[in-house]
Amino acid sequence: MKAISALIIIIAFSFSVQAQNCSNTLTGKLVDFHNGDPLTDAIIQVDGKDIEVYSDFDGNFKINDLCEGKLELKISHPECQDLIYPVLIEGNTSVKIKLEHHLKELGEVLITGRQYIQQTKTGQEQRIEKETLEKYSSATLGDALKEISGVSSLNTGNRVVKPVIQGLHSSRVLIMNHGVRMEDQQWGAEHAPNIDLNSAGNISVVKGASALQYGGDAIGGTIIVEPEKIPVKDTLYGKTILSGSTNGRGGSVTSSLVKSFKNGWYAKAQGTVKKFGDFEAPDYVLSNTGNEEKDFSLNLGLNKFSSGFDIFYSYYNTEIGILSSSHIGNVSDLIRAINSPAPSIIRDFTYDINPPKQEVEHHLARFKYYKRIENLGKLNVQYDYQLNNRLEYDIRTGDDRGKPSLDLELQTHTLTSNFKFDANNEYLINVGINSNYQENFPNPATGVRRLIPDYKQYKLGVFASGEYKIDNHWLAEMGFRFDYTHLDAEKFYLKSRWNERNYDEDFADIIVEDFGTQYLTNPVFNFNNFSATGGVSYTFNQFQLNGNYALASRAPNPAELFADGLHHSAAIIELGDLRFGKETSHKFSISFTKNKGDFSFNISPYYNYINNFLLLEPNSVETTIRGAFPVWEYRQVNARLFGVDIDWNYRMSDKFNYRGKFAYVNGRDTKNNKYLIDMPPANLANTISFQQKNWHNLNLNLTGDFVARQNQYPDNNFYYNVLENDNYVNTLVDVSTPPEAYFLVGFNARATFYPFKKGSLEVGFSANNLLNTSYRDYLNRLRYYADNLGRNFTLQLKFNY
Amino acid sequence: MMKNLKLLALFITAIAFTSCSDDDDAPEVINEEEVITDVSLTFTNESNEETTYTFTDPQYRDENYVDPVILLNEGEIYQVETNFYNNSNPQDPELITAEVQEERDDHFITYSFSEASVDLNRTDSEASTDSNGVQIGLFTEWITTATSSGEVIVRLIHQPESKDTSDGYGSFSGGETDVEVSFDIEIQ
């Protein structure tokens, strides 16, 4: 009671003082939160009064004639976030105010031409912005990534699109989705990334293993899918994109809504639905190639200056039909398919999706917390959980009709923490630890022997990376990482296979139980991987020259270790080996860039030497009761890849622009002195754009894509005796010869309108394969069976509100 | 060192999630149900004597297995019954023929001879004739026409696009091969 009356007296007193004295001076000093550097030329305003002053060269400012009492200062600096700062004036008052000066992390204002954090300062990195991603709204992540030179795709039809970076893919390409390392059975060549590209704000591609923070095994590269930055202000906005395509007679709807507050709280919801029926090649329907996808994501968090958190959940669900005619039995069926100009099954268009098909579901949940520590840096702690369920359906009979042939459930828990020391202007150091538990459960209800066994995997990684700004021209970067992997599997082997692989001699001690025709075994592996990167960057005039070396090493994936059976979609027997060791890559890359002026370019040559490179190649034919099958065995060889990616842009006038890109890669198995399989052929794309801002921001693009024939391929062809008219004919099975070169023309137009009180409407129209060219692609696994897609028109409406 | 790292990894992951070691039971064995491991041809000659020849998938052969050689006499008519088995689980051998018969619209059997002089007729009853009246080929009649030695390839095709029985041996288009095995034949 006494305290309250005292308080009342104090308040009353302070009011009376305020009324009397209005000649106080406030002096202040503005400094950078991180390193204490003074902030020059900041605007300081007093809320509710017509006062505005600037900070001087030493960060000092002075405001005269202030009354005593509380007031609020609004501080704005071109490189900082606006700050509201309450001050209590009691006589002549002095304050020291710290501002967040590292705006590149808050992402609202451009600093030195870049709005984003680069993942590598000395390696090769490229990026796709939101505007480009939106054009691919109804397509797949893999399609959009091909905008980047040196990125191609390994396809199974046209909806299973797996990114290939400078000739490497699957387990060699790491995908970070909203800060989470995707674990979605990425070892499989016909397993596309389980990401809705509409959830991305931008995508960066690091070519090579220079982004060590995410993993030391990214021999091919790292794809970083990041959400759009949510501004720290009171706002509510959203967008909806509707797309409709003639080919596939379907389309997509995607929508997002963001609510954020000045105090840092924000929430976002986003969802996508896609539906397509059978796609069409120029001359026929590609039966059973429909696709249905349903995704959504939710995001909630607090983005404060000194600390904050973020909760993210996303769900991805897709059902993809696999071309009916690609489901074949044995070598005889394969020969018939290769020698037939058109697919063996062509039915009328339908939206139905029948076996063979894939059904994949991916859940991703993430919790992230960060705290900035004054004069030191920023601490991040993150936990994430992923659940991936992959069902693959084959054509089955009897009681098994409608039952999947493959049912894999992969759960991954990851706990990550890193600390970024960014207080010093010259140094930036990032250290972190990463622990991970993974469990794979292949459901025995399929009644089909497991392709990938039950396993539990523990991983522990530690890393440290740093950059040092030597002067205005030179920057050096260096990083180290160590990963430990412990894999404990329970795998059944047919006794015949066990003996044929000579495991009876080397692994007799891992047999747990004898089941008549099969053994249950318990293979356990430990891998220690060391990776490192180092590089320099030199900036002069309008140019930047980067040089980088990256050492990466990767433990063999479950398919490479355990595969031991018939792979239906390819009509091959795939054999892994328990004896495999890790794969180690040494990559040297250079990147020469000019990014200012009317003519800009980037030239990125590289050389990648890979020791113990794991590849899958045919080596014999095995006879089974279903006929003969080529046997493809995983082997470890030494490989070297070199190539170059080039991008260029010429702004001819304020209306016309020309840009192009080119990529070439040459891969060779140096152990057996032959070319590597599935290397992307040389490709060249040219685009001419016209833009007229006054005509509703009209934008027209005409693109020509040329893909050369791959002449550097290994000859894996073999002969097989086919019975024709009572005689055996020795027939060539041509599984190697790449298809011819092709040239595709594309067109796209867009314009923006303002038909509503608020917001805008963007109308886009695009045409792919405008000339309806029939072609096949070397990197499409279904190229033996059918042509690629014919002409397609897409109409897209984007509402911003 | 290794042990410590594993413990550390275990420890760190255990902090965040304590309930992930749900089962340490061994995974259950899968004996594939749809697999065909054996194909047999049972010949009944004119004197009603029965002989069976069986081809076993190389993955499921035991050490006593010898490749079957079909011995026939020239100028004789044989009634032949073709059967498919799944013996992948030795405790529970399974006859697949009944399933083929049941799904006769989706199945078709062909016989291709190389240098063996055999005329072939389909003798399937209604039970193995599909809804289009095509005899799928589980029951056949073989007429040996000359002394010769060669091979016969027996195929079981699943979901062929078309079936053709105009010459008894059978031909088809499309579909997936479930069985393709070759038997040696000696006609004396």
Side-chain angles (χ1 to χ4, degrees), chain A residues 306-364:
Chain A
S306 56
S307 67
F309 72 92
D310 184 270
I311 301 168
F312 177 74
Y313 169 77
S314 83
Y315 173 76
Y316 174 90
N317 178 315
T318 190
E319 182 179 6
I320 305 173
I322 305 294
L323 184 73
S324 290
S325 58
S326 72
H327 189 81
I328 57 166
N330 58 19
V331 172
S332 309
D333 299 346
L334 180 64
I335 293 172
R336 276 194 295 273
I338 291 175
N339 295 339
S340 153
S344 61
I345 301 171
I346 301 173
R347 304 210 176 92
D348 290 339
F349 172 88
T350 170
Y351 285 102
D352 297 342
I353 301 171
N354 292 307
K357 65 173 180 177
Q358 303 182 352
E359 275 180 27
V360 191
E361 213 178 48
H362 192 86
H363 299 265
L364 183 155

Side-chain angles (χ1 to χ4, degrees), chain B residues 34-54:
Chain B
E34 293 156 282
V35 166
I36 295 172
T37 60
D38 296 87
V39 178
S40 76
L41 299 177
T42 304
F43 290 78
T44 309
N45 66 11
E46 290 163 20
S47 1
N48 234 1
E49 290 162 343
E50 240 184 58
T51 320
T52 298
Y53 301 94
T54 303

Side-chain angles (χ1 to χ4, degrees), chain A residues 230 233-237 257-261 265-268:
Chain A
I230 298 174
K233 60 180 180 188
D234 286 323
T235 180
L236 173 71
Y237 61 91
L257 197 62
V258 179
K259 172 72 195 157
S260 67
F261 300 91
W265 286 94
Y266 59 88
K268 181 181 177 180

Side-chain angles (χ1 to χ4, degrees), chain A residues 415-598:
Chain A
L415 188 64
T416 318
S417 180
N418 74 308
F419 195 93
K420 222 178 240 179
F421 297 90
D422 58 1
N424 190 295
N425 276 343
E426 280 86 43
Y427 296 95
L428 181 75
I429 294 167
N430 189 5
V431 293
I433 185 162
N434 202 310
S435 69
N436 173 296
Y437 171 75
Q438 189 171 75
E439 189 173 323
N440 186 53
F441 173 66
N443 194 341
T446 57
V448 176
R449 293 186 59 250
R450 301 163 177 90
L451 180 67
I452 297 296
D454 294 74
Y455 72 79
K456 291 181 169 124
Q457 181 181 267
Y458 303 87
K459 274 184 175 182
L460 183 69
V462 287
F463 74 91
S465 65
E467 61 181 69
Y468 175 55
K469 207 177 160 201
I470 302 163
D471 56 31
N472 281 337
H473 298 294
W474 289 93
L475 184 141
E477 180 180 52
M478 192 172 251
F480 302 94
R481 187 180 170 107
F482 173 76
D483 288 280
Y484 166 71
T485 306
H486 175 83
L487 181 72
D488 186 332
E490 288 176 300
K491 157 102 182 144
F492 286 96
Y493 278 96
L494 279 175
K495 284 181 177 175
S496 53
R497 182 71 68 204
W498 182 259
N499 295 333
E500 180 255 331
R501 305 299 292 165
N502 286 326
Y503 289 160
D504 48 339
E505 290 170 18
D506 298 357
F507 296 99
D509 56 324
I510 66 167
I511 296 173
V512 176
E513 205 177 335
D514 187 330
F515 284 88
T517 53
Q518 300 181 49
Y519 286 127
L520 172 63
T521 66
N522 178 212
V524 176
F525 301 91
N526 289 301
F527 296 101
N528 293 296
N529 293 342
F530 178 73
S531 40
T533 182
V536 288
S537 170
Y538 178 60
T539 312
F540 57 105
N541 301 330
Q542 304 173 321
F543 303 97
Q544 187 179 347
L545 182 63
N546 288 355
N548 182 274
Y549 162 74
L551 164 72
S553 64
R554 176 179 78 87
N557 67 36
E560 290 158 345
L561 291 169
F562 302 120
D564 79 332
L566 192 56
H567 197 138
H568 274 281
S569 61
I572 59 175
I573 291 171
E574 270 183 27
L575 297 179
D577 201 313
L578 295 174
R579 299 175 187 92
F580 287 143
K582 66 186 174 196
E583 187 179 272
T584 310
S585 134
H586 302 267
K587 185 176 181 183
F588 302 89
S589 65
I590 289 173
S591 169
F592 182 51
T593 316
K594 177 181 180 289
N595 53 20
K596 287 173 188 144
D598 285 340

Side-chain angles (χ1 to χ4, degrees), chain A residues 497 500-501 571-575 616-623 629-633 718:
Chain A
R497 182 71 68 204
E500 180 255 331
R501 305 299 292 165
I572 59 175
I573 291 171
E574 270 183 27
L575 297 179
L616 186 62
E617 66 174 14
N619 70 346
S620 59
V621 171
E622 190 171 300
T623 308
F629 292 89
V631 176
W632 288 57
E633 214 172 324
F718 60 95

Side-chain angles (χ1 to χ4, degrees), chain B residues 92-158:
Chain B
D92 179 25
E94 199 186 340
L95 181 68
I96 303 286
T97 323
E99 200 175 287
V100 172
Q101 209 158 21
E102 210 171 284
E103 300 191 350
R104 47 196 179 270
D105 280 1
D106 281 345
H107 287 100
F108 191 56
I109 299 151
T110 67
Y111 300 86
S112 316
F113 291 88
S114 145
E115 291 165 17
S117 308
V118 175
D119 287 343
L120 189 140
N121 298 312
R122 286 171 186 253
T123 55
D124 292 280
S125 66
E126 232 170 74
S128 53
T129 301
D130 74 12
S131 55
N132 295 321
V134 176
Q135 295 174 299
I136 67 165
L138 285 171
F139 297 89
T140 47
E141 181 179 78
W142 298 27
I143 303 145
T144 51
T145 53
T147 351
S148 51
S149 71
E151 286 173 41
V152 58
I153 295 179
V154 181
R155 284 197 185 90
L156 172 65
I157 305 299
H158 185 223

Side-chain angles (χ1 to χ4, degrees), chain A residues 250-299:
Chain A
S252 70
V253 183
T254 182
S255 223
S256 68
L257 197 62
V258 179
K259 172 72 195 157
S260 67
F261 300 91
K262 195 167 64 179
N263 58 14
W265 286 94
Y266 59 88
K268 181 181 177 180
Q270 179 263 337
T272 304
V273 177
K274 295 180 188 177
K275 171 94 183 160
F276 288 94
D278 289 339
F279 287 89
E280 283 164 61
D283 302 323
Y284 40 78
V285 173
L286 299 165
S287 286
N288 202 45
T289 55
N291 171 215
E292 200 175 317
E293 190 181 311
K294 298 179 278 269
D295 321 306
F296 73 89
S297 66
L298 299 168
N299 192 194

